[in-house]
Each structure stands twice: as structure tokens, then as C-alpha cells.
Amino acid sequence: MRILKELRYITINSLLLLAIVPLSLVGYFFAVHHESLFFIYECLLSIIVAGVFILAIIGVVKIQSKLKWISISILAFMIQFSVLSLFLGPFTKYPLFILYYFIAAIAFVLFILAISKVDKFKFIPIIFTVLSIILTLYMILLNNLWGNDLS
């Protein structure tokens, strides 16, 4: 019965993370066609990110089995995603590159640890690792373009 309760935290977190995809499509629609409504997307995304973050912390605290590493990897990805969102949002400042790289390195180590310690659901930290690499390559591109006059 304890395993089912632990799986519930991971399932809810995974579904909330997947909800970001259709929400981002709505956000794109708002950005292109109804820019005055884009704040709705931002608010809903903030609520989902905060919900996943809180549930991941609860999962880390309450889960006693090896599945705790899945919650740790979810938490690490959400911290990395939050730093990226802050950089792309209100804090587009050069020092946030260094913060992002630092958080991404820690998250990558946690993903590798989660992959090695978990028997079930290894695909979750693997997906986070791939997404982390893609986001980091994007940040490297932005870092290389920073300050270059492209016109």
C-alpha cells in the first residue's frame, strides 16, 4: 500500500509536467494572436511549476523507497527550468548564465545518480537528462550570441 501512495506523488508530478506542453501551445496562441491575454499563460505556467516543485519536495520527504530518486530528479529539473525561465523572463542578465550552468551541472549529476539507483521508471531521469542537454545547448547558443551585433 505504501508503494501505491509513493507512486501517486510521481504520477501527479509527471502529469503536471506533461500539462506544460499543451499549456505552451495555448501560450503560443496567445503570444501570436492575443498578446493581451499572454499573462494568463504566464500565471498558469507559474502555478504548474510551483505545484510540481511543491509536490516534488513532498515526494522527497515522504517517499522511503528508491523512488525518492525520481522525485529528486523532478525537483532538480524544476530548479533548472525555473532558472532558465527567470533568465528568459525578467532577469535577462549575463551572470545568470553562470548560475544556469552551475544548476545544470548539479542537475545532471542528480539525473545520473537517479538513473543508477532506480530500478523502475528509469525513463523519467533519462528524459530529464535529454531535456537538460537540449536546454543547456540553447543557453550555450545564447551565451555565444550575447553581445554580438548580428545586424
Side-chain angles (χ1 to χ4, degrees):
M1 195 57 131
R2 182 180 57 108
I3 292 291
L4 291 176
K5 197 172 201 179
E6 292 175 351
L7 284 175
R8 191 174 69 198
Y9 291 115
I10 294 170
T11 304
I12 293 170
N13 262 335
S14 300
L15 291 175
L16 280 174
L17 281 169
L18 284 175
I20 292 175
V21 174
L23 181 64
S24 295
L25 294 175
V26 171
Y28 174 78
F29 176 75
F30 285 161
V32 172
H33 298 291
H34 302 288
E35 192 172 344
S36 63
L37 297 176
F38 190 71
F39 75 96
I40 295 172
Y41 163 73
E42 291 174 328
C43 292
L44 290 174
L45 182 63
S46 298
I47 290 169
I48 288 176
V49 167
V52 170
F53 190 78
I54 290 169
L55 277 175
I57 291 173
I58 291 171
V60 168
V61 171
K62 289 197 173 189
I63 295 176
Q64 301 299 320
S65 66
K66 289 182 179 182
L67 291 176
K68 177 181 278 202
W69 283 97
I70 299 295
S71 288
I72 291 171
S73 65
I74 291 172
L75 184 62
F77 181 76
M78 290 315 299
I79 292 171
Q80 181 182 2
F81 182 74
S82 297
V83 171
L84 175 71
S85 297
L86 286 174
F87 174 79
L88 295 176
F91 300 112
T92 307
K93 309 248 186 273
Y94 192 80
L96 271 176
F97 281 117
I98 297 165
L99 177 65
Y100 176 82
Y101 295 142
F102 179 72
I103 297 295
I106 292 172
F108 186 73
V109 168
L110 290 173
F111 298 151
I112 298 302
L113 283 172
I115 291 168
S116 67
K117 294 195 182 232
V118 174
D119 299 326
K120 297 178 184 176
F121 303 110
K122 281 189 181 205
F123 66 93
I124 293 175
I126 290 171
I127 290 171
F128 289 149
T129 304
V130 171
L131 288 174
S132 177
I133 290 169
I134 291 169
L135 294 176
T136 303
L137 289 174
Y138 176 69
M139 287 297 282
I140 289 170
L141 174 69
L142 288 179
N143 195 356
N144 287 328
L145 292 175
W146 190 275
N148 292 337
D149 188 13
L150 298 176
S151 56

